[in-house]
Amino acid sequence: MNNIDYAFDRQHLWHPYSSMSHPAPVFGIASASGATLVQENGKQLIDGTSSWWACIHGYQHPVIVDAMQQQLQRLSHVMFGGITHESAIELSRQLLALLPRSLTKVFLADSGSIAVEVALKMALQYWQGRNVPKKQKILTIRHGYHGDTFAAMSVCDPEEGMHTMFGDNVTPQLFAPAPKSRFGEPLCQSDIDGLQQVLEQHHQQIAALILEPVMQGAGAMWFYSADYLKLARQLCNKYQVLLIADEIATGFGRTGALFACDHAGISPDIMCVGKALTGGYISLAATVCNDEVAAGINQSPAGVFMHGPTFMANPLACSAARASLSLMASGKWHQQVRTIEAQMRQELAAAHSLPTVKDVRVLGAVGVLELHETVNTGVLQAEFVKRGVWVRPFSRFIYIMPPYIIAAEQLSQLTQAMIEVATLLPQIQQHSHQQTLSHG
Ligand SMILES: *Cc1c(COP(=O)(O)O)cnc(C)c1O
């Protein structure tokens, strides 16, 4: 059995969005394999999160583990300035083969937020190079999420995001209304007008439109009409605005298409990928642009693209990504995602009739119960752990995005737990409220 010093953790370790004076409970994990996390007390949890969209092929996949072990023995890291290596070259070759053909130039970054920073810098440098220096603003749609660094924060939802907390340090950007038309449905007029109007009015200042194609993840858990993406592509062409697709959560099959842009058949000028790029084994992201963007950057006053992280194109991370992409190339993901989608549609349908549930939606390997009220993440998480599953609700959403290799019985356990917790929600929240009162 593994020894986890929870007291040390509470005293000294930040967790995502955590408090050091009132740390939320954490669960010690000792190991994981397939779609199962093993707690340090030996109990198993079926993983409904893929560790935040990343671990698509499951934990301890032999192909990825072997690739990393072999790479580790040859070259774990070397700087990328003035040096290159097979790992970066072959990964980029594999990645470009999957992407829309117009995307040709790869920047290997170390995390999703950095890939977004890189994309925004590319867009700004591009317009300098094209001699339109007034194009300095970024347009995005409301309810988006693009990461936690400063430029990424500036294009997150201005109300649910962190704009107010950091005030003037967050660059003001432009926001169009979030698309209301649902995935699979045609576009409503107000969605068309919303985007058209901002572009019409401000295009002379707008360098790029950044959005999460088809699925708004951490900001909204919302699936919108692919026609909106088509419209965005058309309007960006019309108004001379670059289109940046943030596929960090949607990429690599999660929404049922290899990339969410494929649902609309469009090519962005710049695309960001991350999370599942390495199969979730180690941090790596990429920002990929077309020839036109690269050419514009070359003509900017700097003459070069101004970014270069220490761990750029880390060989170990690239080897994990190569292995993960080779698993994608087998094409199995397609059937796996479709099977997960069909099963979730069937099993989550029962939630439609629950008084706590406002909406049920499923797209690809993502299943969402939207509730009427905001949940207490810590309390609900503990309820899921009691039921042997790992689900981390936030805001008004109980949602899952399991590894593609999950077995049908495991997925059923996840959906059953979701429905049970949504059913018992009033008692669960009431009980936790009473506990808070009595414990002060
Ligand atoms: C998670 C996410 C990011 C940020 O990626 P990190 O690796 O956490 O920095 C950016 N955009 C989207 C759409 C994401 O889901």
Side-chain angles (χ1 to χ4, degrees):
M1 209 196 282
N2 218 3
N3 240 334
I4 293 209
D5 189 342
Y6 286 103
F8 187 92
D9 185 286
R10 266 195 306 280
Q11 276 281 273
H12 299 291
L13 292 189
W14 294 107
H15 284 264
Y17 314 105
S18 70
S19 155
M20 288 276 29
S21 53
H22 301 286
V26 291
F27 297 87
I29 295 298
S31 68
S33 69
T36 310
L37 308 177
V38 184
Q39 291 182 261
E40 48 96 28
N41 62 13
K43 288 192 185 144
Q44 301 197 341
L45 298 173
I46 296 165
D47 179 24
T49 68
S50 298
S51 281
W52 276 341
W53 312 96
C55 194
I56 53 178
H57 310 295
Y59 301 86
Q60 267 191 66
H61 195 294
V63 171
I64 305 180
V65 172
D66 280 357
M68 290 182 79
Q69 273 170 347
Q70 284 181 28
Q71 184 64 45
L72 195 52
Q73 282 167 19
R74 273 189 298 159
L75 179 67
S76 177
H77 183 66
V78 64
M79 64 188 285
F80 209 52
I83 284 177
T84 194
H85 47 77
E86 184 194 351
S87 224
I89 295 168
E90 294 310 318
L91 165 59
S92 300
R93 196 195 304 282
Q94 279 172 278
L95 182 60
L96 290 178
L98 299 179
L99 293 176
R101 210 165 291 171
S102 58
L103 296 174
T104 54
K105 314 285 191 215
V106 183
F107 188 103
L108 293 165
D110 26 22
S111 74
S113 300
I114 301 304
V116 169
E117 300 278 328
V118 163
L120 300 181
K121 283 169 82 169
M122 281 180 175
L124 298 180
Q125 272 197 266
Y126 170 77
W127 289 112
Q128 290 171 11
R130 289 288 176 248
N131 241 329
V132 199
K134 267 204 299 189
K135 281 183 173 282
Q136 288 288 309
K137 287 281 166 214
I138 308 295
L139 170 63
T140 188
I141 53 182
R142 283 182 182 265
H143 302 163
Y145 177 77
H146 298 284
D148 289 349
T149 54
F150 274 94
M153 271 198 294
S154 78
V155 287
C156 290
D157 187 84
E159 277 152 37
E160 286 153 49
M162 296 181 261
H163 288 65
T164 50
M165 286 167 229
F166 299 103
D168 291 348
N169 290 292
V170 181
T171 310
Q173 308 287 15
L174 291 159
F175 295 88
K180 291 198 188 72
S181 318
R182 298 178 81 103
F183 184 84
E185 291 176 9
L187 216 46
C188 64
Q189 192 61 39
S190 67
D191 283 347
I192 301 173
D193 296 344
L195 188 57
Q196 162 95 34
Q197 279 165 13
V198 201
L199 279 162
E200 171 72 39
Q201 208 179 340
H202 299 284
H203 64 94
Q204 283 167 336
Q205 299 157 259
I206 300 176
L209 165 63
I210 183 170
L211 44 72
E212 297 156 279
V214 168
M215 180 189 79
Q216 293 191 294
M221 295 309 302
W222 173 244
F223 314 130
Y224 63 83
S225 172
D227 289 346
Y228 187 83
L229 264 187
K230 286 187 197 154
L231 172 79
R233 181 65 275 182
Q234 285 161 9
L235 291 177
C236 282
N237 291 347
K238 177 173 171 195
Y239 290 107
Q240 301 223 309
V241 165
L242 295 176
L243 179 60
I244 304 172
D246 180 349
E247 293 255 13
I248 292 169
T250 50
F252 307 107
R254 182 55 70 179
T255 66
L258 190 52
F259 295 95
C261 283
D262 300 346
H263 288 293
I266 60 127
S267 305
D269 300 291
I270 303 174
M271 187 189 281
C272 302
V273 295
K275 291 200 164 112
L277 174 60
T278 63
Y281 279 63
I282 187 168
S283 185
L284 184 71
T287 308
V288 190
C289 72
N290 60 25
D291 291 344
E292 169 64 15
V293 170
I297 292 170
N298 288 344
Q299 288 180 355
S300 69
V304 293
F305 180 57
M306 287 306 287
H307 206 90
T310 306
F311 287 100
M312 184 166 182
N314 172 257
L316 186 58
C318 290
S319 75
R322 287 172 71 187
S324 180
L325 293 190
S326 76
L327 293 173
M328 294 300 299
S330 81
K332 256 197 205 157
W333 65 270
H334 205 248
Q335 191 54 45
Q336 288 169 330
V337 170
R338 242 193 280 180
T339 306
I340 292 170
E341 179 172 35
Q343 192 181 339
M344 286 198 299
R345 269 189 212 291
Q346 196 182 16
E347 295 179 356
L348 291 178
H352 276 291
S353 59
L354 297 178
T356 51
V357 174
K358 185 175 166 200
D359 189 28
V360 180
R361 29 183 197 265
V362 172
L363 178 65
V366 190
V368 183
L369 304 185
E370 180 176 347
L371 308 171
H372 289 287
E373 284 171 37
T374 301
V375 300
N376 181 327
T377 296
V379 170
L380 258 65
Q381 201 173 253
E383 288 295 323
F384 281 111
V385 169
K386 266 193 223 164
R387 289 166 175 77
V389 299
W390 183 242
V391 179
R392 189 170 161 85
F394 78 95
S395 179
R396 283 174 289 108
F397 310 107
I398 297 177
Y399 67 112
I400 54 171
M401 56 299 203
Y404 302 165
I405 50 84
I406 194 166
E409 317 82 72
Q410 292 178 312
L411 183 55
S412 287
Q413 239 178 290
L414 279 167
T415 56
Q416 265 172 32
M418 287 169 80
I419 289 175
E420 237 174 83
V421 169
T423 307
L424 298 174
L425 200 60
Q427 290 97 301
I428 293 169
Q429 303 246 72
Q430 173 69 18
H431 180 69
S432 74
H433 181 63
Q434 280 165 358
Q435 277 192 331
T436 321
L437 290 181
S438 61
H439 295 292

